[in-house]
Amino acid sequence: MTLTANPRTPSRISRETHAHLSELLGRRRPGYSLEAPFYTDPGVFDADMEAIFGQQWIFAASLAEVPEPGDYVTLDIGPYAIALVRTDDGGVNALHNVCRHRGARVLTEARGSTGNLVCGYHSWTYSPDGQLLHAASAPGEKIDKACFALRRAHCRVVAGLIFVCFAAEPPADFDAMSQIIEPYLAPHDLGATKVAYQQNIVEEGNWKLVMENNRECYHCDGHPELACSLFPTWGLTEATVPPHLEAVWQRNTQAQQDLEYRCERYGLPHAVIEQLDTRVAGFRISREALDGDGESFSESGRRLSKKLLGDLRDFRLGRCSLHLQPNSWFHLLGDHAITFAAIPLNAHQTLVRTTWLVADDAVEGVDYTLDELTHVWKQTNLQDQNFVEMCQRGAASPAYAQGPYMASEYQVEMFIGWYVQRMQEHLA
Ligand code: FES
Ligand SMILES: [Fe+2]
C-alpha cells in the first residue's frame, strides 16, 4: 500500500498547556459557560486543533462543490491543508495538500478543475489519487516514486456531504451515525444539487462561541427575518414557553402535527433523534415545521426555488435539520438546502462558510433569484456574527466570569459537554 494514510503523529501539546488544560477541564462547572482561556488562549486553540479537528470527522464540502471529475476544493482546517478531488467514478479523494518533495502547497487555489496535480515549486506531478507520477531528475538520479505519494486523509461521502478525518484511526461510530441520518437526507438528493451561492464570513470569535451560538434560539428575538419562518420556540418545551411566545407555540404544535402527517404519507422520517453528547459522532436530526406556508425560509414561508429537490413531491416539508459535532449544521428543505461549517482560524477568529444548494436543473432568474434565496440567512448570519463577536470581546475582559446556560440552551451544554469529554480523552 503506497498511499499513506494519516500517520500517527506525536502530540504537539506542550507539557505546560497539557497541565493547564487538564486543570481547567477538571474543574469545569456543568451548566456554565467555559472559563475564558477556552475562548482566548492560543495554547488551548492549538490543543483544540489537535484533539478535536485532528481527531474527529469534519464536514468539509458537499458533492455539489466538486460536480465533475477533476473538480477540486482546498480547505485549511487548523494546521491541516486538504484538497478534495472528485474522481472519475464519482467518488472523492481527500489528499493532504502538502507536496512530498519539500512540502509546498500543491493546489494553491480555493477551487478549480485539474487533471494531474502539479506542484508549482519543482513540478512534481501527482495523479488525482495522489500517486507521484513524475519528478524531474538528473541522469542516473532515481527516487522510488511509490514512496512519495501525497498523503491521504480518511474521507466519507454521506448523502452528498463530504467528511474528512485526519486521525490515524478515525472514530469508529461515524458509520453507525451515518446510517441513522442518511434516510432523512437521501430524499433531498444533495448529489443532484448545484451551488447557488457560497458566503464566507470571518467572525472575530473563537470557534466554540460560534457553535454555542448556533445551538440555541434563546437569542432568536435578534433574528426578525428568520423568525418569520423558523419558529422561535425552538429549544423550548411546553413547560418553558414564555408568555410572549405562547401563541407561536400553539401554531408550531399544530404545524408540526400537520407536517408529521405529510411525512407519514410520503414515507419521510421525522422523529427527533438527539445524541449530541452520548456518542463520539455526536448529532441531532429532526424534521420540523416552518411557519406560514411551511415551505422555506422566506417572509411568508413560501418556496424560494420553484424546483423541488430530489424525489420530493411536496414543498411543504418544513426543514430537515441536522446538527453535527464539532462544527457543522444543515437545513434541508423541499426547495433548497443550506450547509454551514465553522472552520477555526485562530483562537479568536472563525470562518463561517454557508452554502446554498438548489436542484441542479433550477435556473437562476427563472426558478429562483439569489437575493431572495439568500436574504434570510445572510441577515441571520450577520446577526449571529455580531452575537459571537460581543461574547468574544467579553471573554477577553478580566471581568468575564462563567455564566449559566438556561433551560432552552440545553444543546449548548451538550456541545460543551461533548467537547470536554473529547478533550479529556485526548489528554489522557
Ligand atoms: S516542493 Fe513540490 S515539487 Fe518541490
Ligand atoms: Fe442565531
Side-chain angles (χ1 to χ4, degrees):
M1 177 70 177
T2 54
L3 298 178
T4 33
N6 302 322
R8 198 177 292 281
T9 50
S11 173
R12 294 184 181 186
I13 301 171
S14 71
R15 196 182 292 255
E16 294 73 28
T17 300
H18 191 290
H20 181 49
L21 198 45
S22 298
E23 187 189 333
L24 289 170
L25 291 163
R27 67 177 189 227
R28 197 254 154 171
R29 191 176 178 188
Y32 280 72
S33 63
L34 292 169
E35 292 186 58
F38 285 103
Y39 305 116
T40 59
D41 186 326
V44 175
F45 177 81
D46 290 345
D48 285 358
M49 293 308 98
E50 178 176 308
I52 304 294
F53 287 84
Q55 294 297 317
Q56 299 298 313
W57 285 99
I58 306 295
F59 168 65
S62 65
L63 286 182
E65 294 174 63
V66 284
E68 301 292 334
D71 287 352
Y72 69 84
V73 292
T74 61
L75 187 62
D76 289 359
I77 303 175
Y80 296 97
I82 194 78
L84 304 171
V85 185
R86 191 76 185 260
T87 61
D88 290 339
D89 63 4
V92 176
N93 289 324
L95 305 170
H96 286 279
N97 192 13
V98 179
C99 184
R100 291 300 307 279
H101 175 219
R102 282 169 51 201
R105 293 287 166 92
V106 179
L107 295 170
T108 53
E109 302 294 324
R111 63 195 64 246
S113 191
T114 186
N116 292 329
L117 286 64
V118 183
C119 178
Y121 199 174
H122 313 91
S123 302
W124 279 30
T125 302
Y126 303 90
S127 67
D129 68 358
Q131 295 282 6
L132 178 60
L133 300 175
H134 175 74
S137 56
E141 184 183 32
K142 277 207 166 49
I143 64 160
D144 184 354
K145 294 197 194 76
C147 293
F148 295 100
L150 291 177
R151 289 196 156 126
R152 295 170 74 109
H154 299 283
C155 185
R156 291 271 196 288
V157 178
V158 181
L161 304 174
I162 306 167
F163 295 84
V164 295
C165 180
F166 304 124
E169 287 171 26
D173 68 340
F174 184 82
D175 291 339
M177 184 277 291
S178 301
Q179 284 173 16
I180 298 172
I181 65 172
E182 212 152 9
Y184 287 75
L185 309 180
H188 298 259
D189 199 2
L190 297 185
T193 61
K194 65 176 181 180
V195 176
Y197 190 74
Q198 186 168 76
Q199 177 198 51
N200 292 304
I201 301 180
V202 175
E203 300 190 3
E204 297 291 325
N206 183 271
W207 70 275
K208 295 189 287 294
L209 289 178
V210 174
M211 295 310 298
E212 290 183 40
N213 176 70
N214 167 255
R215 298 291 147 99
E216 50 95 356
C217 207
Y218 190 35
H219 69 271
C220 277
D221 284 348
H223 293 316
E225 296 86 1
L226 181 63
C228 292
S229 54
L230 191 146
F231 286 105
T233 44
W234 185 75
L236 297 173
T237 64
E238 192 143 20
T240 58
V241 181
H244 78 284
L245 288 176
E246 251 164 36
V248 181
W249 177 264
Q250 295 304 333
R251 209 161 64 242
N252 189 359
T253 304
Q254 184 60 52
Q256 188 66 26
Q257 280 175 12
D258 295 347
L259 172 65
E260 290 178 8
Y261 173 77
R262 277 194 298 284
C263 287
E264 300 287 340
R265 198 166 71 204
Y266 299 129
L268 296 171
H270 57 78
V272 179
I273 304 178
E274 189 168 87
Q275 300 179 3
L276 283 164
D277 59 354
T278 52
R279 63 156 71 228
V280 176
F283 77 101
R284 180 187 198 272
I285 197 159
S286 62
R287 189 176 284 280
E288 297 179 55
L290 290 170
D291 207 350
D293 287 345
E295 295 180 349
S296 202
F297 290 126
S298 58
E299 195 175 333
S300 64
R302 178 88 176 148
R303 69 199 67 166
L304 290 166
S305 172
K306 292 178 190 159
K307 288 277 164 70
L308 279 166
L309 298 187
D311 301 333
L312 301 174
R313 288 182 280 153
D314 193 332
F315 283 96
R316 206 166 177 213
L317 294 174
R319 57 184 173 94
C320 174
S321 293
L322 171 64
H323 286 179
L324 292 179
Q325 313 292 31
N327 74 322
S328 58
W329 61 99
F330 309 83
H331 296 299
L332 283 69
L333 294 80
D335 66 337
H336 75 288
I338 318 182
T339 69
F340 301 81
I343 311 292
L345 300 177
N346 54 50
H348 57 89
Q349 287 184 312
T350 304
L351 169 68
V352 176
R353 174 167 289 176
T354 306
T355 309
W356 285 261
L357 305 172
V358 295
D360 56 9
D361 60 348
V363 178
E364 186 186 345
V366 176
D367 298 310
Y368 67 95
T369 69
L370 278 187
D371 278 353
E372 287 177 349
L373 182 73
T374 59
H375 174 69
V376 165
W377 274 102
K378 273 187 177 173
Q379 293 302 112
T380 304
N381 283 346
L382 290 176
Q383 292 148 2
D384 281 328
Q385 177 181 14
N386 185 43
F387 295 138
V388 168
E389 294 182 354
M390 288 195 299
C391 285
Q392 184 69 29
R393 286 196 293 276
S397 164
Y400 170 82
Q402 295 165 269
Y405 296 136
M406 307 302 281
S408 65
E409 296 175 295
Y410 75 98
Q411 282 192 45
V412 184
E413 171 64 12
M414 287 176 162
F415 167 70
I416 294 298
W418 178 92
Y419 165 79
V420 169
Q421 284 181 69
R422 300 291 84 78
M423 293 299 282
Q424 286 180 323
E425 284 165 6
H426 188 75
L427 294 183

